Amino acid sequence: LLIVDEAGQALPEVAAASFALAKKALVIGDTEQIAPIWNSLPGIDMGNMVEENLLPGGTQDAMTEAYTLMCDSGKSAASGSVMKVAQFNSRYHYDPDLARGMYLYEHRRCFDNIIGYCNALCYHGKLQPKRGVEKKVIFPAMGYLHIDGLGQQANGGSRYNTFEAGTIAAWLAANKDDIERHYGKPLHNVVGVVTPFSAQVNAIKAALRQLDIHCSGDENSLTVGTVHSLQGAERAIVIFSPVYSKH
């Protein structure tokens, strides 16, 4: 029995070898969460499939139609995942509003108004929040601050927003003592900072260092990274830095 966790992040071509050694598989994951990091572009993926006789040759329309069906099955190296493959092959589809497969509807990790946002956005209101409403917390469960910064693109293509990075660092420095007192733990055990862009990771870390907040990557440092840095981890406070601005 092969068990695949976080299968929504697993590339089908990477996992295929393991499946060849198993008779049965239990595939667990969520295609509404983090997608895999695909290393192929659709055009390259289609060309590889034609070369290996997985797609018919002939007209471009015929190839595109066949490739679309292959993508729907989850087997594309440019858009697929093990979870998509499992859902496509599942006989169970008892909720027509959601993808095929069996669902775990009960959610116990996040406060109700946090998962409620995701519930409305992705799950048609089908999830059942079980955590309850926040009590005796230092900040609201969902908060937002508009920062009038400038989103820019670095030479490597990644994006950063210096003013936003500095504002996050200043907010953490200003609230550090209150946060540590409230939770009875050092700041790095309580807070994580997430951003979509590696250039913004560097900008935030530079701003934190200027205010003497440790973020060098060891076990006593504040976690600042892309969303993969905190996948599976948990923090009482998570700050999200979107980087984009009105520009």
Side-chain angles (χ1 to χ4, degrees), residues 106-157:
E106 296 181 356
H107 180 91
R108 301 179 184 277
R109 172 172 280 191
C110 300
F111 286 125
D112 291 5
N113 47 346
I114 296 178
I115 193 59
Y117 177 87
C118 307
N119 207 2
L121 182 69
C122 299
Y123 303 108
H124 303 273
K126 299 293 182 80
L127 296 184
Q128 301 167 18
K130 298 291 185 180
R131 175 72 184 271
V133 180
E134 72 270 22
K135 297 174 184 176
K136 297 180 180 179
V137 294
I138 190 171
F139 304 114
M142 290 279 275
Y144 171 78
L145 174 66
H146 174 71
I147 302 170
D148 198 18
L150 171 64
Q152 301 179 79
Q153 196 160 14
N155 292 335

Side-chain angles (χ1 to χ4, degrees), residues 76-125:
S76 164
S79 64
S81 70
V82 173
M83 196 68 227
K84 279 187 179 181
V85 174
Q87 287 172 328
F88 183 80
N89 288 284
S90 174
R91 290 177 293 173
Y92 297 98
H93 197 187
Y94 52 74
D95 195 327
D97 292 330
L98 299 170
R100 299 173 68 87
M102 301 180 70
Y103 272 82
L104 301 175
Y105 288 99
E106 296 181 356
H107 180 91
R108 301 179 184 277
R109 172 172 280 191
C110 300
F111 286 125
D112 291 5
N113 47 346
I114 296 178
I115 193 59
Y117 177 87
C118 307
N119 207 2
L121 182 69
C122 299
Y123 303 108
H124 303 273

Side-chain angles (χ1 to χ4, degrees), residues 190-206:
V190 180
V191 176
V193 185
V194 177
T195 179
F197 301 105
S198 58
Q200 184 69 350
V201 171
N202 296 332
I204 293 170
K205 285 184 175 180

